[in-house]
Amino acid sequence: MRSLNLGILAHVDAGKTSLTERILFEAGVIEKPGSVDAGNTLTDNMALERERGITIKAAVVSFEVAGRIVNLIDTPGHPDFIAEVERVLGLLDAAILVVSAVEGVQAQTRVLVRALKRLGVPFLLFINKVDRLGARYDELLETLGAELVVTPVAMCEVRGAGSRLATADPCDLTAEPHRTRLIEQLADHDETLLADYLLSPRRIDSARLMQSLAGQVAQGRLHPAFAGAALSGIGVAALLPALADLLPARDADLDAPLSARIFKIERGWGGEKLAYLQLSSGRIALRQTLDLPAGPARVTGIHVFRKGRMEQTGMAEAGEIARLSGLATARSGDRIGLLSKDMKGAPGSDRTVDATFAPPTLETRVVACHPGDHTKLWLALDQLAEQDPLINLRRDEESRDLFLSLYGEVQKEVIAAMLQSEFSIAARFEESTVLYAERLIGIGEGLEIIFRAPNPYLATVGLRAEPRPPGSGNSFALEVDLGQMPAAFYKAVEETVFDVLKQGIFGWQIIDCHIALTAAAQTSPQTTAADFRGLTPLVLAEALEKAQTIVCEPVDRFTIDAPAKSLSPLLTLLGKNAAAVEQTEVTEARARLEGTMPAAKVQAIQQQLLGLTSGSGTMESAFEHYAPLASQISPPIRARTGPNPFDRKEYFQRQR
């Protein structure tokens, strides 16, 4: 049986979870759709999610449509939990992007569309809330095409939009004028269809149209646009056939070697680690030993998602999503089987660390309200970091201060609530500060040769550091003769390189750079991987100092909607905070501004916006890019944790 990993994505409050509930109801998984307001939805099963009415963790439910297994993954819509979305995107065969018919294109909508297009994940659109005042459909389809550079294909006719009597009826694509419109859209990328349309239109039947549409949807060229109201169920039934007819599925290869990816980590009632993974091929059996990046682990329990429930079983198979117990060394993002081997960096292969979304741009210090809970707080945060590695838990070894990287203030509130509810720890989060980044200016090389002072390690390491294009991520490659050392030694260098890049010359993460291993040698059998792990930071520090870096600040793209009468003071406020307004739309009553601003200024503007607009102004922002600071004379410096390879004396003291 073929399977489809389907993600539900949306900007917060677009109705994503409500649509998920209604799809599960239409598919016969649940007897009655749950409500976000009532806190009884199937996928929002955390107490904190029910209390706050938002999705925090990705949730899975499986069902069948037309002989196809659909693994439906509900994801968070709030931008503070974008890391949870990122871990899911790599699993998806397709997605449903939910857009509010009232609010239209929002900041998170743009972020999600860019990510889906970048990863080549096909998606269809569901225009939700057509029964709300101010809703629109045809106009919104034009806006989506213009602002998101997508090609929506209208699959519904909406009547009475903006009223409780609104309807969303499926279009008959074989009848005019829908047939001609669809052929014209398909013909833009199908020359054979265009020729037949001009010369022999009768040869184009409905089966061929649907086949061409499904093919272009799979290629990401067209995006079917459905409409309705998830709360009342309007238009949702039309989505189910599309899951089988228009979205690409995969064949489950049970006999192929195991290939799987862990995308979520939880803790059970007894504190045991639970790993959620998606199997691309092969099988996993109870009591089987899996080769994880951090070491082998034995499977002690298997639950799989089947027909709306999670069932205990002795075997998980390709095409299924499973929850495994016993994987004590597992971390979110780990690859198993073929994927694991690919990620282990076989000699001669390149490796690029290229996140789908930007890393967190804020950092906060976390303090236990009761000093005696400091160690307990460290252990609790370490468990949360297993679930979300991007919070980047770090500790200052001298002051013992604990720091977390965050996307926003809501994430901070949620982590504080989780510490209290799950670990009984009261914690105080200090005011967030901006996380800067460093970017290479030039090219630098470093080299330490075995048995030659001042190298105290039984290893030779040579590295070259050079910049990459902005937004391209960090990469590593081998430029040495292969086979002269065990693969574990090359792996030790690679892992250490990416670790050192987390703290550059000024203490900030180095972004968009390429590191090449240009020299490597050992003396057998005395040399160990520890020699390479100890020497690599010193060599890389030398290369980075020669290349030099500049400090960059995160820049957000913002959209402000406010009363037109507040436009003048609003422009003054933005100007004082180094914001660049790129687009302004003004009507008699409202003004809409779009542009960029330093991320460090976002919170201050949000706080003053309410006063300037008498409480009726709204602002959305999302990370756009990193830009060099205007002045590099005395850039901000971040306190370093762990041994400092840029200070050789201090490095060896800390190593000892």
Side-chain angles (χ1 to χ4, degrees), residues 496-552:
T496 306
V497 161
F498 285 113
D499 191 52
V500 173
L501 292 177
K502 294 177 182 178
Q503 299 183 91
I505 297 174
F506 300 101
W508 307 105
Q509 179 182 4
I510 295 181
I511 60 173
D512 303 329
C513 76
H514 176 72
I515 307 298
L517 180 64
T518 57
Q522 59 151 343
T523 177
S524 182
Q526 291 88 355
T527 301
T528 66
D531 288 298
F532 286 94
R533 293 185 186 278
L535 181 59
T536 297
L538 296 172
V539 178
L540 183 54
E542 179 185 355
L544 295 174
E545 285 184 320
K546 291 179 179 178
Q548 298 186 319
T549 64
I550 55 173
V551 177
C552 303

Side-chain angles (χ1 to χ4, degrees), residues 119-294:
L119 293 174
V121 177
F123 61 94
L124 55 81
L125 300 158
F126 185 80
I127 312 302
N128 194 25
K129 303 181 181 181
V130 297
D131 58 344
R132 299 287 181 87
L133 184 64
R136 59 206 192 282
Y137 177 63
D138 295 328
E139 176 191 343
L140 182 54
L141 292 186
E142 295 182 7
T143 302
L144 290 169
E147 295 191 15
L148 302 180
V149 196
V150 299
T151 307
V153 177
M155 305 296 289
C156 294
E157 289 184 296
V158 177
R159 298 182 177 87
S163 73
R164 294 187 178 275
L165 300 178
T167 60
D169 301 315
C171 294
D172 183 359
L173 299 179
T174 63
E176 298 296 348
H178 308 299
R179 181 176 183 273
T180 297
R181 184 189 62 202
L182 176 59
I183 291 176
E184 290 174 350
Q185 288 182 303
L186 292 171
D188 286 341
H189 304 284
D190 190 335
E191 294 182 358
T192 303
L193 182 69
L194 175 60
D196 287 344
Y197 177 58
L198 295 175
L199 302 176
S200 305
R202 292 185 179 181
R203 296 177 59 181
I204 304 176
D205 56 17
S206 58
R208 182 176 175 188
L209 281 179
M210 294 307 295
Q211 182 181 9
S212 180
L213 176 59
Q216 294 198 30
V217 169
Q219 295 169 356
R221 292 173 173 168
L222 297 181
H223 308 281
F226 296 84
L231 277 179
S232 61
I234 298 173
V236 179
L239 269 178
L240 292 186
L243 303 186
D245 299 337
L246 297 180
L247 297 180
R250 65 177 72 189
D251 291 314
D253 192 345
L254 304 181
D255 298 323
L258 173 63
S259 175
R261 179 182 179 185
I262 297 174
F263 66 93
K264 180 178 176 180
I265 295 290
E266 283 185 350
R267 292 279 175 172
W269 291 106
E272 74 278 12
K273 186 179 290 188
L274 305 174
Y276 290 72
L277 54 81
Q278 184 266 330
L279 280 78
S280 300
S281 62
R283 297 179 172 89
I284 294 178
L286 193 64
R287 292 183 290 278
Q288 180 178 345
T289 298
L290 301 180
D291 182 19
L292 300 178

Side-chain angles (χ1 to χ4, degrees), residues 461-500:
V461 173
L463 296 170
R464 184 182 70 253
E466 55 191 44
R468 300 185 73 207
S472 58
N474 295 336
S475 62
F476 175 84
L478 303 180
E479 295 183 1
V480 294
D481 292 333
L482 306 179
Q484 58 183 338
M485 301 193 311
F489 292 177
Y490 296 107
K491 186 64 178 175
V493 174
E494 178 183 336
E495 291 177 343
T496 306
V497 161
F498 285 113
D499 191 52
V500 173

